[in-house]
Amino acid sequence: MKATKISEIEQQLKINATFCVKGWVRTFRAQRFIALNDGSTLDNLQCVVDMDQFDDTFLKQITTGASLAIVGKLVASQGSGQKFEMQVTEIELLGVSDPEKYPIQPKKHSMEFLREKAHLRIRTSTFSAVMRVRSALSFAVHEFFQEKGFYHVHTPIITGSDAEGAGEMFRVSTLNPSNPPKNEDGTIAYKEDFFGKETNLTVSGQLEAETYAMGLGEVYTFGPTFRAENSNTTRHLAEFWMIEPEMAFYDLDDNMSLAEDFISSVLKKVLQRCEKDLAFLDDRFAKEEQAKPQLERSEMGLLEKINFVTQNKFKRVSYTEAIDILKNSKPNKKKKFKYPVDEWGVDLQSEHERFLVEKHFKCPVILYDYPSGIKAFYMRRNEDGKTVRAMDILFPGIGEIVGGSQREERLDVLEKRIEEMHIDPKELWWYLDLRRFGTVPHSGFGLGFERLVLFTTGMSNIRDVIPYPRTPQNAEF
Ligand code: 4AD
Ligand code: MG
């Protein structure tokens, strides 16, 4: 008999019909009640076993973690926990699970423990809810751009250029690491490497996306990006997924409006489509917050935060205004910031971003017009000569979720900036070509997908919203 998903059974509610379900045992109580989960929904299906009908030694093999195919009749439930249940007529034991060794027991496990069991943690309610929300968000991302007529572009993963100019890249090489060929001056001869040059995993698909926007108009990439920055925080991964739209003829205001519309739109979709998972995560979030000291607790619940973002305009504030606010802020005056804000031009730390969003404005904030010294080479220089048309979107509990800008479309200005930043223009010949042949004003941004999932699920560590996190000293699985 073909298996029916538990989510479908829930939706159709055909009482008295016979179904086959296949899944994993969450619990088996009193040799009578199997809670079966198949991943299609948060809910387990309660399967009621008539003990007289099955052999005792057979039933003993049904333990938490085992996989089963069950045939039975759907009936209204007598119990209080669920509206319906299945009266079991057949059980096929697909795979046993040693109850002494199976680590995912029906009790609360710490996130740290589950990270070490990342290959099995998807069988918990929390991780399955998070990953269903992640999947729904991913779909909503494509839907948003496709409906707007953007084209999806697959930008390369292996690249010869450092898009962000931050030098935090993972090298890709097939040279023998213990005996690489050398140039006469002793440096490694990358011309003998696989690609005949030094190559790395990409930190961003932006530069290549820009080339496509200069022919297709509006495009987006949604791919993996890699950063070898040694940031052991709850917001950083060495491998993460980024959504990068790039649009010809957009200025910075158009860019900000698109980003805002994009975030609200995907959140609204997920609110509709993941109601049950989000209700569960909302409850989980509330419990986690309760366990924190009063001062550290979030002022809003998870669903409240998501709804707030979809219903309110983001506050647009220039970097210069933000610095004034921070300089005069209580924590700055009382020396509570780890990095004091004393002069215009400093880079904002996450403590400053969170102060602006969580304490001062109490809503998502778009900061724009940053000092050129703290931003990438490709951002458009403003008339003041000091700032560039950058924008970062800051979110409560997350800090920076989006980084973007209007791009420098003027060849001479861009060349000058590349020189100032000691970047080799030869590496960017193709990027500069865009400014030689039919240059146009254009803009784009990058949204860190895991930071969006983090916000939407209310999880507290980015390692728990991606199946297999890659972080310094950790690439298990
Ligand atoms: O601000 P970033 O570095 O911008 C870019 O890479 C641009 N090329 C984007 C563009 O304009 N097309 O990164 C963009 C976003 C950040 O706002 C953050 O959400 C996320 O990517 N991000 C990370 N997420 C997880 N782990 C990390 N190590 C991240 N670094 C950046
Ligand atoms: Mg950034």
Side-chain angles (χ1 to χ4, degrees):
M1 197 174 184
K2 198 174 163 292
T4 305
K5 288 192 175 184
I6 294 172
S7 58
E8 265 173 60
I9 294 178
E10 271 183 339
Q11 272 159 24
Q12 299 167 355
L13 264 192
K14 289 188 188 149
I15 298 293
N16 288 328
T18 296
F19 293 100
C20 170
V21 287
K22 294 182 180 174
W24 294 266
V25 176
R26 285 284 172 87
T27 55
F28 187 22
R29 272 192 302 127
Q31 295 279 79
R32 193 163 156 71
F33 302 105
I34 300 172
L36 196 78
N37 191 283
D38 69 357
S40 64
T41 164
L42 188 71
D43 301 324
N44 303 326
L45 180 64
Q46 166 145 295
C47 305
V48 186
V49 179
D50 178 358
M51 285 188 287
D52 298 337
Q53 210 193 314
F54 296 91
D55 180 51
D56 207 37
T57 44
F58 174 73
L59 290 182
K60 283 221 161 64
Q61 296 184 76
I62 299 176
T63 58
T64 298
S67 47
L68 304 176
I70 298 180
V71 176
K73 192 166 87 171
L74 198 70
V75 295
S77 179
Q78 320 292 323
S80 55
Q82 58 283 316
K83 288 203 200 76
F84 56 90
E85 60 193 20
M86 184 175 254
Q87 267 174 4
V88 176
T89 51
E90 288 169 44
I91 304 176
E92 187 187 346
L93 183 58
L94 299 173
V96 292
S97 171
D98 183 341
E100 300 298 317
K101 295 194 178 136
Y102 184 59
I104 312 293
Q105 293 301 320
K107 62 166 196 177
K108 193 172 158 54
H109 293 292
S110 76
M111 289 294 127
E112 290 77 11
F113 173 82
L114 290 172
R115 250 170 249 150
E116 287 168 10
K117 314 281 179 230
H119 58 309
L120 297 171
R121 66 179 180 174
I122 192 58
R123 298 196 208 170
T124 63
S125 297
T126 300
F127 282 93
S128 63
V130 167
M131 292 306 158
R132 277 188 296 268
V133 171
R134 182 181 167 113
S135 169
L137 278 169
S138 168
F139 181 62
V141 165
H142 286 291
E143 202 175 25
F144 175 83
F145 288 115
Q146 295 286 335
E147 280 174 2
K148 279 202 161 354
F150 282 56
Y151 299 104
H152 182 203
V153 182
H154 293 103
T155 49
I157 311 281
I158 300 174
T159 168
S161 58
D162 178 0
E164 290 304 298
E168 292 165 330
M169 296 187 296
F170 291 101
R171 178 165 299 134
V172 175
S173 172
T174 54
L175 294 179
N176 178 354
S178 56
N179 185 24
K182 299 269 175 68
N183 296 315
E184 275 173 13
D185 62 0
T187 55
I188 294 173
Y190 285 108
K191 61 179 183 307
E192 287 180 40
D193 204 345
F194 189 91
F195 295 106
K197 62 185 289 195
E198 243 187 288
T199 48
N200 298 289
L201 293 177
T202 189
V203 295
S204 157
Q206 176 195 326
L207 304 193
E208 291 89 350
E210 277 186 58
T211 67
Y212 266 58
M214 295 300 112
L216 290 176
E218 291 173 329
V219 301
Y220 70 105
T221 73
F222 185 176
T225 47
F226 308 87
R227 295 194 184 178
E229 49 187 337
N230 204 356
S231 305
N232 245 319
T233 78
T234 55
R235 314 263 174 274
H236 288 86
L237 290 165
E239 176 180 288
F240 62 98
W241 290 70
M242 191 165 24
I243 297 136
E244 295 181 277
E246 196 63 42
M247 301 75 64
F249 318 114
Y250 274 50
D251 66 13
L252 190 68
D253 281 325
D254 301 327
N255 199 24
M256 293 195 243
S257 299
L258 180 77
E260 198 172 332
D261 186 18
F262 167 55
I263 295 175
S264 309
S265 159
V266 297
L267 290 178
K268 278 184 201 152
K269 288 267 162 62
V270 172
L271 279 172
Q272 281 166 18
R273 293 172 185 165
C274 300
E275 216 177 327
K276 193 171 276 174
D277 287 321
L278 287 176
F280 170 82
L281 291 167
D282 182 60
D283 192 44
R284 181 187 178 278
F285 182 79
K287 286 185 187 131
E288 297 284 309
E289 290 300 304
Q290 271 308 314
K292 290 184 185 169
Q294 184 98 41
L295 272 173
E296 285 169 34
R297 276 181 214 159
S298 163
E299 283 174 26
M300 286 188 213
L302 176 62
L303 285 171
E304 218 180 333
K305 282 202 296 177
I306 302 174
N307 278 307
F308 183 85
V309 168
T310 63
Q311 287 160 8
N312 290 283
K313 285 240 146 292
F314 299 179
K315 179 89 188 152
R316 299 184 186 190
V317 186
S318 74
Y319 167 90
T320 304
E321 290 170 78
I323 284 290
D324 283 339
I325 293 168
L326 288 167
K327 257 203 225 160
N328 297 314
S329 70
K330 246 197 211 157
N332 198 50
K333 287 185 167 162
K334 291 193 168 169
K335 309 221 180 308
K336 287 274 158 63
F337 285 140
K338 193 168 161 218
Y339 299 89
V341 179
D342 40 25
E343 57 182 316
W344 190 94
V346 295
D347 204 355
L348 297 183
Q349 303 296 325
S350 112
E351 58 179 350
H352 308 137
E353 296 177 341
R354 293 184 65 171
F355 172 82
L356 290 169
V357 173
E358 289 159 31
K359 300 279 184 268
H360 189 83
F361 290 109
K362 296 182 191 288
C363 70
V365 172
I366 312 185
L367 286 189
Y368 62 91
D369 285 352
Y370 280 75
S372 58
I374 56 171
K375 287 291 181 188
F377 72 92
Y378 50 72
M379 299 188 179
R380 193 179 198 280
R381 183 168 293 225
N382 278 315
E383 300 317 314
D384 63 12
K386 312 191 293 188
T387 60
V388 288
R389 301 246 75 193
M391 65 114 170
D392 277 4
I393 303 186
L394 314 179
F395 256 44
I398 304 286
E400 180 190 335
I401 191 164
V402 162
S405 67
Q406 184 169 336
R407 316 306 189 190
E408 184 55 79
E409 84 284 11
R410 298 162 295 187
L411 181 65
D412 54 334
V413 183
L414 184 60
E415 279 179 329
K416 199 159 151 253
R417 181 119 162 99
I418 285 177
E419 196 188 313
E420 277 167 16
M421 297 184 86
H422 308 292
I423 301 170
D424 184 359
K426 283 207 267 333
E427 268 179 29
L428 288 172
W429 64 273
W430 50 275
Y431 188 72
L432 292 165
D433 260 4
L434 299 180
R435 281 74 184 165
R436 290 189 181 101
F437 309 120
T439 194
V440 300
H442 64 290
S443 301
F445 63 83
L447 175 135
F449 186 54
E450 283 73 20
R451 294 204 181 162
L452 179 67
V453 183
L454 199 57
F455 175 76
T456 315
T457 57
M459 299 297 282
S460 49
N461 193 316
I462 200 162
R463 293 169 171 88
D464 301 327
V465 301
I466 187 165
Y468 297 103
R470 269 73 181 99
T471 49
Q473 300 297 312
N474 169 43
E476 194 62 47
F477 308 101

